Amino acid sequence: MYAKLNLALEITGAEGGYHTLDMINCTVGAGDALAVSFAEKTTVFMDGALCGGENTAFRAAEKIREASGRALRAEIDKGIPFGAGMGGSSADAGALFRYAVDRGLMSEGDAVAAAAQVGSDVIYMMRGGWKRAKGRGGELSPLPSADCAVAVVRRECGASTAEVYRRYDLSPTHGAGIDAVLSGAADRYNVLEPAAISFCPGIDDLKRRMYDAFGDAVMTGSGSAVCAMIPLNETERAERLLRDGFGDCGYARLLFPKDDSVEYI
């Protein structure tokens, strides 16, 4: 399953104790590997470690068991970095729901309803591609694909989603709006950046370095990864800049958008 990037993010309100969002999302070609088999009881391993009920993939597998009567064993090899804002936990859960639909264990409608209960972005991660996502991330509308690559860099500091949103609520801000971004009237932005930077100050330095290198830099999700859109005719230069200028970062890659969220092997 592929990683998710929020290329722009606005907070529009609150609903049922959750923030409502308006985002430009795409999936990119770096992700986790998931092996699924039937089992006597729901079991999820992440990088070999047994996961409990707090794990998003475990909760998704339990929803599948409740709906189908079939328990799953899921083994996840992580490729999406933790605490990066790249949808790692949502990708794992979304892939399990996608598997359940494709294998006839759940209907599409039942899977979507269950995904909404499991976590934000899970509905999007069942589908992936270029989407505008609203609400808790499940109100999706297609967007034209952009001919680009995306440079993604993350320092070792991982941002806590709950803490970033808590800090945002202390001093909320808003941008020009996603309609303005899509029309070209405003640059891409993420209203969570100031809150994330207060939690993980290295994001601010990383944004400056990314902007100096690529002329573009926006944090994805609640952080801590920063991304820059790269024209396809500049990918060789971008790869060189990532290699030579961001060697001190734990994650620095040039990724290419994908039209789906899952690839079966």
Side-chain angles (χ1 to χ4, degrees):
M1 48 278 197
Y2 295 125
K4 172 262 317 176
L5 297 176
N6 303 114
L7 298 177
L9 187 153
E10 177 65 82
I11 293 180
T12 57
E15 179 181 298
Y18 293 92
H19 294 83
T20 55
L21 310 175
D22 194 1
M23 303 173 285
I24 299 173
N25 290 356
C26 74
T27 38
V28 289
D32 299 346
L34 171 66
V36 184
S37 58
F38 292 116
E40 292 185 1
K41 65 177 183 178
T42 299
T43 312
V44 175
F45 291 91
M46 186 174 294
D47 289 339
L50 183 64
C51 300
E54 77 288 347
N55 179 268
T56 308
F58 183 93
R59 298 201 304 273
E62 276 290 271
K63 291 289 186 183
I64 296 167
R65 181 191 61 77
E66 292 168 4
S68 68
R70 303 297 302 271
L72 300 178
R73 175 188 173 98
E75 300 179 54
I76 301 166
D77 290 327
K78 294 298 293 180
I80 303 173
F82 291 99
M86 297 173 67
S89 61
S90 297
D92 302 335
L96 283 172
F97 283 123
R98 176 74 171 271
Y99 174 89
V101 171
D102 291 347
R103 296 297 184 268
L105 300 177
M106 298 179 78
S107 69
E108 175 84 12
D110 287 345
V112 167
Q117 296 172 6
V118 167
S120 301
D121 282 335
V122 178
I123 295 174
Y124 169 73
M125 293 309 301
M126 290 176 60
R127 295 164 176 167
W130 290 90
K131 299 284 193 303
R132 183 173 183 172
K134 295 184 177 182
R136 288 185 58 204
E139 301 171 25
L140 305 176
S141 55
L143 293 173
S145 299
D147 292 328
C148 68
V150 187
V152 182
V153 177
R154 172 186 177 269
R155 301 290 286 272
E156 289 304 319
C157 174
S160 162
T161 298
E163 180 61 18
V164 168
Y165 275 98
R166 187 190 72 80
R167 294 188 183 203
Y168 171 84
D169 287 338
L170 295 175
S171 184
T173 60
H174 298 283
I178 300 303
D179 284 334
V181 175
L182 290 171
S183 71
D187 293 333
R188 297 188 304 112
Y189 67 92
N190 182 337
V191 296
L192 292 175
E193 284 181 359
I197 289 169
S198 74
F199 180 80
C200 187
I203 296 172
D204 195 32
D205 174 65
L206 191 57
K207 276 199 65 184
R208 286 196 295 268
R209 292 171 61 187
M210 289 282 282
Y211 193 87
D212 289 345
F214 305 113
D216 181 44
V218 173
M219 187 184 78
T220 179
S222 57
S224 59
V226 176
C227 60
M229 298 179 71
I230 308 295
L232 291 179
N233 63 357
E234 296 184 13
T235 55
E236 289 187 11
R237 172 180 174 272
E239 287 180 330
R240 184 175 65 254
L241 289 171
L242 287 171
R243 181 181 64 250
D244 297 341
F246 295 89
D248 59 318
C249 298
Y251 189 96
R253 297 187 184 182
L254 187 68
L255 304 176
F256 291 85
K258 297 290 184 178
D259 293 329
D260 207 337
S261 61
V262 173
E263 178 181 354
Y264 287 110
I265 299 176

